[in-house]
Amino acid sequence: MAKIIGGITTSHIPAIGNAMADKKENDPYWKRFFDGYEPVKAWLEEEKPDIAIIVYNDHGLNFFLNTVPTFALGCADEYHNDDEGWGIPTTASFKGDAQFSWHLAESLINQNFDLTTCQEMKVDHGCVVPMSLMWRHLPEWPCKLIPLAVNTVQHPLPSARRCYDLGKALRKAIESYPEDTKVVIFGTGGLSHQLQGERAGIIDVEFDMECMDYIVNDPDKMTAFSNTEIMEKAGTEGIEVIMWMVMRGALSPNVNVLHKHYHAPISNTGAGVLLLTDGKD
Ligand code: DHB
Ligand code: FE
């Protein structure tokens, strides 16, 4: 049987991709941020997942504004990366697991999550920066990738509640896969940031802390926020935090916090990291 070994959240800021390419990890601006990932990398090294499901938003690479699915699941055996304009060097392609993806699609659709299935899907910084943060030190990607794209770009967007429920359905889907497979789920993006308009550049550290606390200890409180409330506090792109709720829904009601880190600013964004495992319910 497949099982979820843990959940990770991380920001996916493109500047991180460029910093990694330029080997700036020990520069004063970056050191504390990158140090915040070492416990997560060590845990992954120990746990050795077979599959990483990366919940991310496409920023105009695979889906442009003329066609934006609310939820889209990669159902391919291979995924290519491309730069949609931030200048991040292209990474090696990723192995997928189409058989596992189709199982997820079937289970999720049977649970009334009518998502889009993609037999071809280019993945952008939203997906690739988290993969690189965890595994760039290795000669090749150590596990397969299943990308799950959530629309956080073109309104109307799914709610935090809907994303949380998707995570719960995803857990059922994973746990009904017959082959022994260790799965780690990443919720990416956030925390507070806004890239354009009058409010651009504002980071709300207090709200970011509140979100991290709610996501760990009281996810229902997070689902009580409307998207407008989240955007008023966290900025228009801060809404990416709804993708953390997919990861959270896939874990048990109580979780163990193996690691928690926050650093602001990185570029325009409050950068948060969580490593959670199922707790005792
Ligand atoms: C930034 C953050 C993001 O999440 C993103 O997708 C693009 C840019 C930033 O802070 O620069
Ligand atoms: Fe983003």
Side-chain angles (χ1 to χ4, degrees):
M1 201 181 89
K3 69 167 192 193
I4 298 169
I5 59 167
I8 293 169
T9 64
T10 173
S11 307
H12 60 216
I13 308 159
I16 303 167
N18 284 316
M20 292 185 287
D22 297 340
K23 305 218 177 313
K24 287 189 175 160
E25 284 90 337
N26 288 315
D27 280 16
Y29 180 87
W30 290 104
K31 187 167 175 14
R32 184 174 177 277
F33 167 80
F34 280 110
D35 284 351
Y37 283 84
E38 290 306 315
V40 189
K41 287 165 71 179
W43 179 84
L44 287 165
E45 197 84 42
E46 186 82 23
E47 295 294 328
K48 301 201 185 331
D50 301 302
I51 290 183
I53 298 179
I54 308 273
V55 184
Y56 77 109
N57 62 300
D58 181 271
H59 299 72
L61 178 72
N62 195 71
F63 305 113
F64 200 60
L65 298 180
N66 53 354
T67 312
V68 184
T70 303
F71 299 118
L73 184 69
C75 294
D77 277 323
E78 193 172 25
Y79 300 97
H80 296 280
N81 157 231
D82 222 334
D83 172 35
E84 82 281 16
W86 297 96
I88 309 171
T90 304
T91 63
S93 61
F94 304 88
K95 282 207 175 78
D97 187 331
Q99 191 182 309
F100 196 96
S101 290
W102 284 115
H103 168 83
L104 296 181
E106 187 165 355
S107 172
L108 288 169
I109 288 172
N110 284 335
Q111 295 179 71
N112 300 319
F113 279 92
D114 307 324
L115 38 72
T116 302
T117 50
C118 303
Q119 296 183 62
E120 284 180 13
M121 197 173 182
K122 273 194 174 173
V123 288
D124 73 8
H125 74 268
C127 178
V128 171
V129 164
M131 290 291 288
S132 298
L133 270 165
M134 303 306 160
W135 291 302
R136 69 190 178 288
H137 57 289
L138 299 178
E140 56 187 48
W141 302 116
C143 64
K144 293 175 179 172
L145 164 68
I146 295 186
L148 173 54
V150 174
N151 172 27
T152 65
V153 171
Q154 177 146 278
H155 293 253
L157 312 180
S159 64
R161 156 65 61 191
R162 185 72 174 149
C163 289
Y164 186 49
D165 289 345
L166 172 61
K168 289 183 185 177
L170 190 57
R171 183 183 183 106
K172 283 194 187 149
I174 292 164
E175 291 185 339
S176 61
Y177 191 69
E179 279 171 35
D180 285 344
T181 312
K182 294 204 273 182
V183 179
V184 63
I185 303 187
F186 285 55
T188 78
L191 287 167
S192 61
H193 63 301
Q194 177 156 334
L195 301 178
Q196 72 282 305
E198 270 177 34
R199 196 201 163 286
I202 296 174
I203 293 172
D204 188 331
V205 176
E206 210 175 299
F207 185 66
D208 286 348
M209 292 299 139
E210 201 176 309
C211 286
M212 287 178 97
D213 180 45
Y214 286 170
I215 286 166
V216 170
N217 297 310
D218 198 350
D220 281 320
K221 272 213 174 122
M222 198 65 208
T223 63
F225 287 126
S226 69
N227 281 353
T228 305
E229 284 168 331
I230 296 174
M231 285 185 294
E232 275 168 4
K233 294 274 197 184
T236 47
E237 280 72 44
I239 195 65
E240 290 176 347
V241 72
I242 61 173
M243 297 183 292
W244 292 30
M245 294 302 287
V246 180
M247 179 287 297
R248 184 62 182 89
L251 297 185
S252 60
N254 290 314
V255 286
N256 304 314
V257 183
L258 269 44
H259 182 62
K260 180 176 177 180
H261 191 256
Y262 180 83
H263 187 89
I266 290 295
S267 186
N268 297 288
T269 300
V273 188
L274 289 172
L275 169 57
L276 309 178
T277 56
D278 277 358
K280 283 204 182 79
D281 291 326

